[in-house]
Amino acid sequence: MDLELHGRVVLVVGGTGNVTGSVRNAALIIAAQNLADVVAGSGVTVNTVSPGLVSDDPAAAVEPGRPGESSPGQIADLVCFLVSPRTATISGESVAIGHRVHGTTSL
C-alpha cells in the first residue's frame, strides 16, 4: 500500500542578532533544508521564514543603510502562503521578510 503524505512545516527563525542566535538560526535553516530533501516527493514541504525587525506599525520608507520592518500580520501572511496548497512545489527554502536595506550591495 502506497501512503501519500501531505503536509507543511514552516519554521520561523530569527531574533537576537548575536553569535549564539546566528548559529542557532543557521542550524535551523540547514536542518529544515535537510528535512525537505528527506521528504522530497512525499507531498510534505519544509521551509523557513526569517523576519527582520518586527513592528506593529512598520515604516513604509526605509532609510539608506537601515533595515526594513515587517508587521506580525505580514509575517503571518507569508506563513499562510507557505502552508497553502498552492505552494506544493516550494520546499527547502528560507524566505526573508522585512530585510530591505537600501543603499547597499551584496554579492
Side-chain angles (χ1 to χ4, degrees), residues 5-88:
L5 301 174
H6 298 280
R8 304 289 182 264
V9 177
V10 178
L11 301 170
V12 179
V13 300
T16 60
N18 60 28
V19 173
T20 304
S22 297
V23 170
R24 180 194 63 233
N25 292 342
L28 286 172
I29 291 169
I30 291 167
Q33 290 171 339
N34 286 334
L35 181 57
D37 288 344
V38 169
V39 299
S42 70
V44 176
T45 65
V46 183
N47 295 290
T48 60
V49 170
S50 180
L53 297 174
V54 180
S55 172
D56 286 333
D57 188 26
V62 180
E63 296 177 29
R66 303 276 305 165
E69 301 173 335
S70 298
S71 71
Q74 290 168 329
I75 297 165
D77 288 345
L78 176 57
V79 171
C80 288
F81 171 74
L82 289 172
V83 300
S84 74
R86 295 178 183 179
T87 60

